[in-house]
Amino acid sequence: MKKFLKAVKLFGIAATASFAVLAVVYFFETRTVAGSSEYKAVAVDYTEETSVKETEVATTVKTVEESKNETVKETVKETVKETVKEVVTEEATEPQTEPATVRATEPQTAPAVKAAQPQTSAPAAQPAVVKTEPQTVAPAAQTTLTDVVYKDAEGNAHNYASLEEAKASVKVATLSDSEAKAAAKANKTTYAAQAAEVVNLINEYRTANGLAKLTVNDTLSIAAMHRAAESAYADWNMTAMEGGAKRHIRPNFTKASTIASEYGIGGNFGENFGRWQASPSEIIAQWKTSSSHNALLLSGSYTKVGIGVAQDSYGDYYWVALFN
């Protein structure tokens, strides 16, 4: 009997232990499943939140990049606008047929008249100096200059029906004749390297086209420096039409060809002018793209050349090439 009771007791203990083990196993299994579900739920929430944030960041970055791009575009647009304000040069071919002896007397009287009255010097001086020569028609010819275009320091164009109208409207600071000549002499040294490079480029171009090289002439060089200096000081660019041809007008409201008279330059005379080009290669490239300028570069009528270079108050270059 005791053995039977002992066996029942052991069985009960074993059953209780088994139940306890099953309960523990069930508890942990249930906790694990619950934990896994919670983790998955959190993982899904985290993924969705991250996706939203990434989308928002990407959109923000894109917006910033687009904004930067727009800013860059605007900056480039403004830079280009400033750089190409004036890339078209003007041209004048002024034939000079007066004897050199007559022209040689011009510098002796022109400075005094210009110093006293810069805006009217040329018309006043011409009759006294060359009144018996063919050039006596030059002062009267000034009234035939029409369709005047003046481009100010910002490149804005101002149109006038006649030179007289332009003269009455345009007011700029100008160098006196003596000041311009002093500046020309100084600039001949200051910009010697640039002037020499322009000559080399012109002669390379002429040689490539089967033409003889031009010889640098000192008088032409000083006259060209004079033209560049007076134009740069006044931030000047004015042209007018005469008999269907475009003429350069100087800050003293006379044609560019009057510089030849002032420096005693006789024979055929031509001038190429340009401003705001940054280097010799750039100004030559601009002249090549203009039919009238290119014609002077490749003309067989000229054997001599002089180059003028100056800078205005903004530091921009003015270029003049005189051919004779």
Side-chain angles (χ1 to χ4, degrees):
M1 186 66 179
K2 287 183 178 180
K3 289 182 179 181
F4 175 77
L5 291 175
K6 185 176 181 180
V8 170
K9 185 176 180 179
L10 289 173
F11 178 80
I13 291 172
T16 301
S18 298
F19 179 79
V21 170
L22 291 171
V24 170
V25 170
Y26 177 79
F27 174 77
F28 279 105
E29 285 294 322
T30 303
R31 185 177 182 83
T32 300
V33 171
S36 299
S37 300
E38 182 180 358
Y39 173 76
K40 289 181 180 179
V42 171
V44 171
D45 290 343
Y46 176 77
T47 302
E48 291 176 353
E49 182 179 356
T50 303
S51 178
V52 172
K53 288 183 177 179
E54 288 178 348
T55 301
E56 291 176 350
V57 171
T59 302
T60 302
V61 171
K62 182 179 180 182
T63 303
V64 171
E65 289 300 323
E66 289 176 349
S67 177
K68 288 182 178 179
N69 288 338
E70 290 301 318
T71 302
V72 171
K73 287 178 182 178
E74 289 300 321
T75 302
V76 171
K77 182 179 179 181
E78 290 300 321
T79 302
V80 171
K81 180 181 178 182
E82 290 301 315
T83 304
V84 300
K85 284 188 299 185
E86 187 168 26
V87 296
V88 179
T89 51
E90 304 296 346
E91 184 272 340
T93 304
E94 302 291 347
Q96 298 297 313
T97 57
E98 296 177 322
T101 53
V102 174
R103 295 174 182 281
T105 62
E106 191 72 7
Q108 299 173 11
T109 57
V113 176
K114 289 188 177 182
Q117 194 174 9
Q119 298 301 322
T120 59
S121 58
Q126 290 289 351
V129 178
V130 293
K131 57 185 179 180
T132 60
E133 298 297 329
Q135 187 65 22
T136 51
V137 298
Q142 293 295 322
T143 59
T144 65
L145 292 167
T146 60
D147 300 314
V148 179
V149 178
Y150 168 64
K151 294 182 180 179
D152 60 27
E154 300 301 323
N156 301 311
H158 305 271
N159 301 304
Y160 304 95
S162 66
L163 187 62
E164 287 72 20
E165 181 182 331
K167 186 175 180 181
S169 301
V170 179
K171 305 296 180 184
V172 295
T174 58
L175 290 174
S176 67
D177 189 72
S178 59
E179 289 172 333
K181 287 185 176 181
K185 184 177 181 180
N187 288 349
K188 189 171 182 292
T189 300
T190 302
Y191 300 106
Q194 290 93 329
E197 186 175 351
V198 171
V199 172
N200 288 337
L201 290 172
I202 291 175
N203 281 334
E204 286 178 3
Y205 187 44
R206 289 176 63 87
T207 299
N209 284 274
L211 296 169
K213 293 182 179 181
L214 299 176
T215 302
V216 176
N217 179 270
D218 190 64
T219 301
L220 282 173
S221 298
I222 288 292
M225 286 290 179
H226 185 131
R227 285 281 294 119
E230 68 181 12
S231 298
Y233 185 82
D235 295 309
W236 186 263
N237 185 355
M238 179 180 283
T239 60
M241 298 302 295
E242 181 185 43
K246 184 178 288 184
R247 305 301 188 197
H248 293 162
I249 305 301
R250 298 172 62 187
N252 63 3
F253 293 95
T254 63
K255 291 189 297 183
S257 59
T258 59
I259 196 72
S261 298
E262 291 187 26
Y263 282 88
I265 301 169
N268 290 331
F269 172 85
E271 175 186 275
N272 272 358
F273 172 90
R275 65 174 179 175
W276 302 343
Q277 293 80 12
S279 65
S281 59
E282 188 174 331
I283 184 58
I284 292 298
Q286 289 295 323
W287 284 342
K288 285 181 180 180
T289 61
S290 165
S291 60
S292 54
H293 291 79
N294 191 62
L296 289 185
L297 295 177
L298 298 179
S299 174
S301 300
Y302 304 115
T303 58
K304 296 176 288 185
V305 68
I307 304 300
V309 186
Q311 287 178 278
D312 62 19
S313 58
Y314 298 99
D316 295 319
Y317 283 92
Y318 280 61
W319 308 88
V320 174
L322 297 185
F323 302 91
N324 185 231

